[in-house]
Amino acid sequence: MRKNIVNPFICQGYEGSKYFCDRGEETKKILSSLYNGRNVTLISPRRLGKTGMIWHAFHHIQSENKDAVCIYIDIFSTQNQHEFVDMFGAAVINDALSRGKAFGKKVMKFLGALRPVVGIDYMTGLPNVTVNTDSTQAEMSLKSIFSLLKNLDKEVFIAIDEFQQIAEYPESGTEALLRSYIQFLTGVHFIFSGSKQHLMSEMFLSPQRPFYQSTDIVNLLPLDEETYYNFANGFFESKVGHVDREVFRELYATFGGYTWYIQSVLNRLYESYRKVEAVEQLRSTILSVIKSKAPQFEYLTQMLTGNQFAVLRAIARDGLVGEPTGKEFLKKYKLPSASSVNTALEMLKCKELVYRMSDGYIVYDRFFGIWLSRL
């Protein structure tokens, strides 16, 4: 049964091309690479629409080939090779089960060494498989998964999100192991996506790394402002309303074109107004979002040292900081020595509270940044 989409500004998941803004060139490039046997590396900071881009590509693939297997896994939460194999194996088996009992049983039998357990997903009420392989057998289990994929009589497309996580595994050979299997697969295509640009670039562009020059690189940039405005305004016009162009311009600038934040605000504006004509409507909506997240932000700050908090708040107040250890910035916010700020900055980067862009540092979570700047 088709869903009734009440609010067209989707903040979670993918609901079809109607609710997905543009990315025509990126979609064309990704599909062309995959169809012609070249794997893809997709790089962008978080909240810019990377996951939606993957599902949009999968939507096009399955529109053209309903039998194509499209599997997405986000490995950000995995800590080692064993957990990666469990997640990968479960995703493959669950996709097989969704294609029918007979095919699902066949795949489960082939991957029996992964010790799959069938349960019920309490959220959907549908069968769901979990995998708990023997940690000492991770490499053999991975080999059996790739063997299955190689022998499936279907085109297979696999997206591994936050792929840079494998570089953090205690097993030093995971990259080389994956590359050794992937390079000989035919009919199995990969999208390796990640949000840590320096790590992803090193993994795929450094001659010392196993995946060196093995993929086409696609860097996701913010959506064109005019294109995004026309997309958003079209939905307001469909309910005999509109969004003022200058109001949208402020919204876009406030969040630097980052899709998820803009969608979150548009979602609430669409919920509350038919016509968005005043900047005050926008600002009050943003403030309501920030107030709803205040307990979460307060908790985050409690996990920081005094020095880390001072540096984070200073970056939030400037918005974008080119030289956080420069004399002018230190003096402006009464920060300690450059070495102390640098130490704090490294920890904030590790905790993914700040992000280094080409022209300086920002608070990674834009809502958090606004909350901090108002303290």
Side-chain angles (χ1 to χ4, degrees):
M1 190 170 79
R2 191 170 180 81
K3 291 180 186 176
N4 178 30
I5 305 297
V6 174
N7 194 313
F9 297 104
I10 309 300
C11 300
Q12 184 176 316
Y14 178 80
E15 297 293 349
S17 57
K18 179 180 178 180
Y19 305 103
F20 186 84
C21 182
D22 195 35
R23 299 292 189 200
E25 286 302 312
E26 295 93 334
T27 303
K28 184 178 178 181
K29 184 175 181 180
I30 290 169
L31 293 179
S32 181
S33 296
L34 295 174
Y35 288 156
N36 286 282
R38 302 189 302 275
N39 293 327
V40 172
T41 297
L42 179 63
I43 304 175
S44 85
R46 288 205 191 125
R47 308 301 198 187
L48 199 54
K50 171 169 50 70
T51 303
M53 179 74 259
I54 293 168
W55 284 110
H56 189 58
F58 281 178
H59 172 77
H60 279 274
I61 290 167
Q62 293 187 310
S63 295
E64 296 172 19
N65 178 8
K66 294 190 184 303
D67 206 35
V69 175
C70 293
I71 295 172
Y72 168 89
I73 57 173
D74 181 346
I75 65 169
F76 181 72
S77 64
T78 61
Q79 300 298 310
N80 51 53
Q81 193 181 99
H82 171 225
E83 291 182 6
F84 170 83
V85 172
D86 283 357
M87 183 179 285
F88 192 13
V92 170
I93 295 170
N94 279 307
D95 177 83
L97 284 173
S98 72
R99 294 169 180 273
K101 237 179 221 184
F103 185 65
K105 283 183 178 179
K106 180 182 176 182
V107 168
M108 283 186 70
K109 184 177 180 182
F110 191 96
L111 297 178
L114 274 66
R115 299 189 295 190
V117 176
V118 181
I120 299 295
D121 186 326
Y122 78 96
M123 294 291 287
T124 64
L126 298 174
N128 182 63
V129 168
T130 55
V131 167
N132 186 22
T133 58
D134 186 329
S135 59
T136 62
Q137 297 296 312
E139 288 193 23
M140 287 303 297
S141 298
L142 190 60
K143 183 178 181 180
S144 66
I145 293 170
F146 280 114
S147 178
L148 169 73
L149 295 174
K150 184 178 180 179
N151 291 291
L152 280 180
D153 188 25
K154 302 175 188 294
E155 285 286 305
V156 180
F157 299 84
I158 296 170
I160 306 177
D161 206 354
E162 301 300 345
F163 186 70
Q164 74 278 338
Q165 187 65 23
I166 69 168
E168 308 289 334
Y169 293 168
E171 302 88 356
S172 58
T174 305
E175 279 181 68
L177 182 65
L178 286 173
R179 176 74 176 127
S180 70
Y181 290 129
I182 289 169
Q183 67 182 331
F184 295 114
L185 290 176
T186 55
V188 184
H189 318 279
F190 287 84
I191 300 174
F192 306 103
S193 66
S195 58
K196 293 185 178 179
Q197 187 165 0
H198 65 292
L199 287 177
M200 290 292 288
S201 296
E202 187 178 332
M203 290 173 79
F204 290 92
L205 299 177
S206 169
Q208 285 76 43
R209 303 296 280 267
F211 279 96
Y212 172 61
Q213 290 190 350
S214 64
T215 66
D216 288 352
I217 307 291
V218 176
N219 285 291
L220 216 56
L221 300 174
L223 288 165
D224 173 72
E225 183 182 331
E226 185 68 17
T227 302
Y228 204 168
Y229 169 73
N230 291 331
F231 168 81
N233 192 48
F235 287 119
F236 279 87
E237 287 182 339
S238 69
K239 64 172 187 177
V240 199
H242 71 273
V243 178
D244 182 83
R245 194 177 293 271
E246 290 305 312
V247 174
F248 185 85
R249 183 163 291 138
E250 175 157 330
L251 170 61
Y252 186 93
T254 298
F255 298 106
Y258 274 54
T259 316
W260 184 82
Y261 302 102
I262 296 173
Q263 287 286 108
S264 295
V265 176
L266 286 170
N267 180 284
R268 288 163 173 82
L269 288 169
Y270 187 88
E271 176 186 22
S272 303
Y273 305 106
R274 186 166 56 84
K275 296 180 179 180
V276 182
E277 299 175 312
V279 170
E280 288 71 26
Q281 291 170 286
L282 170 64
R283 292 175 182 171
S284 66
T285 300
I286 292 173
L287 283 177
S288 72
V289 175
I290 291 167
K291 285 178 183 177
S292 72
K293 295 177 179 290
Q296 169 192 335
F297 295 153
E298 288 166 3
Y299 174 78
L300 283 174
T301 60
Q302 289 169 14
M303 301 296 108
L304 303 175
T305 65
N307 193 33
Q308 290 165 7
F309 176 73
V311 172
L312 183 64
R313 185 173 59 176
I315 293 171
R317 287 181 171 174
D318 262 24
L320 175 68
V321 182
E323 295 183 35
T325 57
K327 288 182 180 178
E328 187 178 329
F329 184 71
L330 299 181
K331 183 179 178 181
K332 181 178 180 180
Y333 293 106
K334 298 182 176 61
L335 296 171
S337 66
S339 60
S340 297
V341 169
N342 197 51
T343 299
L345 200 59
E346 288 304 310
M347 287 305 299
L348 292 170
K349 282 161 58 180
C350 286
K351 294 175 180 179
E352 298 197 332
L353 294 176
V354 299
Y355 180 75
R356 183 171 188 174
M357 302 177 71
S358 58
D359 48 355
Y361 291 87
I362 61 167
V363 176
Y364 210 158
D365 184 327
R366 301 301 179 101
F367 287 137
F368 189 27
I370 295 172
W371 181 82
L372 284 164
S373 70
R374 290 171 52 81
L375 289 179

